[in-house]
Amino acid sequence: MNNVFIYCETEAGRPAEVSLEILTKGRHLAHQIKAKLEVIVLGHKLKGIEDELFAYGADIVHLGDHKHLAPYLTLPHAAVVAGIFAREKPRIGLFGATAIGRDLAPRVSSRLNCGLTADCTELVIGDHYDKKQKKTYQDLLLQRRPAFGGNIIATIVTPDTLPQLATVREGVMKKEKCTRVKKGKVVNIKVDDFVDREALAVSIIERHIEKKEVNLKNANIIVAGGYGMGSKEDFNLLYELAEVLGGDVGASRAAVDAGFEIHDRQIGQTGLTVRPKLYIACGISGQIQHTAGMDKSAMVIAINNDPHAPINKLADYVITGDVARVIPKMIKYYKEHTK
Amino acid sequence: MKGLNIIVLAKQVPDTRNVGKDAMKANGTVNRAALPAIFNPEDLLALEQALRLKDRHEGSQVTVVTMGPVRAANILRDALFRGADKGVLITDKKFAGSDTLATSYVLSRALQKLAPFDIILCGRQAIDGDTAQVGPQVAEKLKIPQITYVEEILAVSKQKITARRRMGNGMETLQGKLPLLLTVHGAAPACRTRNARRLMKYKHACTPSEMSHQREDYIRMHEHRHYLDLTEWNVNDLQAEEAYLGLYGSPTKVNAVTNIVFTARESKVLAPTDEAINALMAELVEHHTVG
């Protein structure tokens, strides 16, 4: 009762990065409200996974190991998670804002009729004053998220229903192991109690997981292009620079909308959040939609024709000029002066 | 196989890709009037998937449902121009301030009125909220399965649908029993354009609320052309319970809204000359930022 619950995604039998990030955040939240941290992890052949979860602070691991639970399908996972929530009555329930978490969490919220906030980038415990009722709610989960196309940050609360549910953006919370690891408790879920025939109405015919072809999240150097690049072909130059520097290529939403790049490379409010060592923004004007996803980069170089582009305010170095002329110079210098 | 009854859930959204400063009201809700209202982009992609099914399965019918103010009927007309057969507007002041859960309740009531249906399609998410929650929440209220992030519907036969979905790290082909709800991802093919003949045919389509502002001859024209009638439902038509509606029925509340302020960095401005760029690259190499 009243604990903090994390839904843990798995990748090849291990906890997903995003889940460990949320576990770390969940541990701090649980500490603050003097609650326990519980994890639900569902899949097949998960032997030993609990140790990794204990290392990140889980007090209790609810483990569902069953052939119907891997790979992920909406209905069996929703049935188990909603069933456990209904029984354990958590105070907070957190999911990754991934293709899985965003598929599952709304289903759970709808079944339990409780509030859900999508794509949170910050979670803190705090009070909420309701002006109409003249009532203060204490120790609620304040759920912060970019809203309205990334132009504002909204703080959302769920005052009257439990659990307070949220999905959390990938890559924005820091994952950190506990300094002192305690061995927690494992509760084996009786999966058949929750998953009936109807939960198997959808089946997987084919599955193709790309071995992280696009792995921008972990790239140290990102060369990103915007609408100002002009065309898909002009992105080749960015790939050339990225390859020379050992980085990867990203894009703004405007560039993706225009068809210059695929959605997997989109950086910003509706794409990825990245924090590389070096971010080279080429032909990007710097709408908040985009900068929300890259403003934590250690160093930013902006290359743009427009001396007044908003991105320039965020940049450590601004090169006012034509991308097509500047980048070849960078490549040339780098090739001549290294190795 | 007889035709399919396909329903598309669509939303009229403010074009958040171009937001000015005065677009927010003091209470944290959106001042939609300050922005151009458009057909939510991914909902248009959902409409295209529906129209492709209609092309493949003779006798199918595509109904577009939207919830919003009266002017949201604009996207219903737009859908008719592109090939939809019917439009339903769900509108009531009592819906104002609904969060995703309250919205999904209202939509599920409307869908129950439109049953039996085979396929429900909607965009993955709307550009004003980017939550991607309403689709799955509706599916759960209707107790039907879902496939989210769909890029293409591959086949429908024998009460089964096969669709390919795009996840962050790969693709999946799923098969599910009808009725089923699908949410369509931005990577799906674009919607067909408005058809000139349909535009002429349906340009006067309107809802009863819109009709009440019209002249008599206009109303008389409608008496003979029932295809111009857009359906309009309110709380009573849906027999919706007020406890689940609007601000009151929404479990999530806005606590605060803040504008994003980025701390500007101290930037050095460089000219695009060889010397300046070489010096910058030398510095990056020296500090091991690159290399």
Side-chain angles (χ1 to χ4, degrees), chain A residues 11-59:
Chain A
E11 277 165 13
R14 308 250 57 87
E17 282 283 302
V18 61
S19 301
L20 297 178
E21 291 163 13
I22 301 170
L23 220 67
T24 308
K25 172 54 83 177
R27 177 170 92 222
H28 298 307
L29 295 173
H31 178 75
Q32 235 179 315
I33 58 171
K34 298 185 177 64
K36 287 207 159 104
L37 182 63
E38 306 197 29
V39 179
I40 300 176
V41 57
L42 309 175
H44 194 37
K45 298 184 179 146
L46 296 176
K47 203 164 184 290
I49 198 168
E50 62 272 17
D51 290 330
E52 211 158 340
L53 301 172
F54 294 143
Y56 283 85
D59 296 301

Side-chain angles (χ1 to χ4, degrees), chain B residues 60-219:
Chain B
S60 295
Q61 177 171 283
V62 174
T63 305
V64 178
V65 177
T66 190
M67 169 175 158
V70 172
R71 72 165 178 165
N74 283 334
I75 68 167
L76 298 179
R77 278 182 287 273
D78 194 356
L80 294 175
F81 301 157
R82 293 172 195 264
D85 300 292
K86 280 184 174 176
V88 178
L89 172 71
I90 308 168
T91 190
D92 201 305
K93 287 209 168 66
K94 287 177 178 151
F95 299 150
S98 292
D99 72 357
T100 61
L101 193 70
T103 302
S104 72
Y105 170 69
V106 172
L107 289 174
S108 70
R109 294 299 305 168
L111 288 161
Q112 278 156 353
K113 256 176 101 84
L114 292 166
F117 43 76
D118 299 295
I119 294 165
I120 301 170
L121 279 156
C122 56
R124 174 187 55 147
Q125 61 192 39
I127 58 168
D128 54 347
D130 291 314
T131 71
Q133 289 176 182
V134 171
Q137 285 175 328
V138 167
E140 173 63 33
K141 295 257 175 286
L142 297 171
K143 300 279 172 228
I144 61 171
Q146 71 193 39
I147 302 177
T148 55
Y149 288 53
V150 168
E151 193 172 62
E152 196 185 356
I153 295 172
L154 301 171
V156 177
S157 68
K158 296 188 187 125
Q159 287 303 301
K160 280 193 173 171
I161 186 164
T162 311
R164 190 178 64 233
R165 71 189 292 257
R166 172 173 284 274
M167 304 163 299
N169 59 344
M171 317 272 270
E172 239 174 21
T173 304
L174 299 177
Q175 189 173 66
K177 285 183 201 140
L178 300 182
L180 187 140
L181 180 145
L182 306 108
T183 77
V184 177
H185 187 274
C191 189
R192 62 196 64 185
T193 53
R194 301 175 185 101
N195 172 296
R197 207 176 288 164
R198 294 186 68 93
L199 202 147
M200 291 311 290
K201 180 175 174 186
Y202 288 109
K203 66 179 177 188
H204 292 299
C206 67
T207 65
S209 297
E210 290 173 312
M211 184 85 85
S212 62
H213 301 294
Q214 294 293 347
R215 293 197 317 269
E216 212 171 298
D217 53 338
Y218 191 91
I219 293 169

Side-chain angles (χ1 to χ4, degrees), chain A residues 211-229:
Chain A
K211 202 64 204 137
K212 292 265 177 187
E213 193 197 315
V214 180
N215 198 354
L216 276 180
K217 251 180 73 182
N218 296 330
N220 274 326
I221 297 170
I222 293 175
V223 183
Y227 187 72
M229 288 302 294

